[in-house]
Amino acid sequence: ASSVAACRRCDGMLPWLCAAVVGAISVYSYRFISAAGMYSTIMSWQLTIWSLHAAPILAWRTLGAGGPADRLFSVGWILASWLLRGRQVSLFSLGFFVVEVFTAMVALTD
């Protein structure tokens, strides 16, 4: 089975619960990283932090809602992500914006 199909199954868990847990962990992590001041330094560009920013959008998209629901969630999440980063206008923040937009736009395949 493909990784997309496996994510849709969430190994027996309800898919929406899986996406909600990924989102909650991401929000907690964003707040922790922001409080530690990491978003204002090169330390924020660690692979784990980049993937943390893509994960909620990818988790939502694998639920298969598609169309306007995907776009609305993605725009909302990108905005929330920026707000949780303290509305920073920096090269680092731009990098996260780009990763999140690309995650929202890339075609998912089985």
Side-chain angles (χ1 to χ4, degrees):
S2 73
S3 58
V4 171
C7 195
R8 282 189 180 130
R9 279 195 322 273
C10 287
D11 297 324
M13 293 177 60
L14 295 172
W16 60 267
L17 179 60
C18 205
V21 168
V22 168
I25 290 170
S26 295
V27 167
Y28 171 80
S29 298
Y30 293 175
R31 292 186 58 86
F32 178 83
I33 293 165
S34 183
M38 286 179 62
Y39 278 126
S40 60
T41 70
I42 192 68
M43 290 172 31
S44 68
W45 279 14
Q46 298 174 40
L47 180 59
T48 53
I49 297 174
W50 284 79
S51 59
L52 181 68
H53 280 266
I57 295 170
L58 185 59
W60 173 267
R61 292 189 61 211
T62 59
L63 293 176
D70 276 2
R71 288 189 291 279
L72 182 62
F73 179 84
S74 295
V75 168
W77 190 268
I78 291 166
L79 178 61
S81 171
W82 180 63
L83 292 172
L84 288 166
R85 288 194 308 273
R87 298 182 311 270
Q88 289 187 359
V89 179
S90 67
L91 182 61
F92 307 117
S93 192
L94 176 63
F96 291 117
F97 174 79
V98 169
V99 164
E100 292 164 342
V101 168
F102 282 0
T103 302
M105 294 174 60
V106 70
L108 299 180
T109 59
D110 284 329

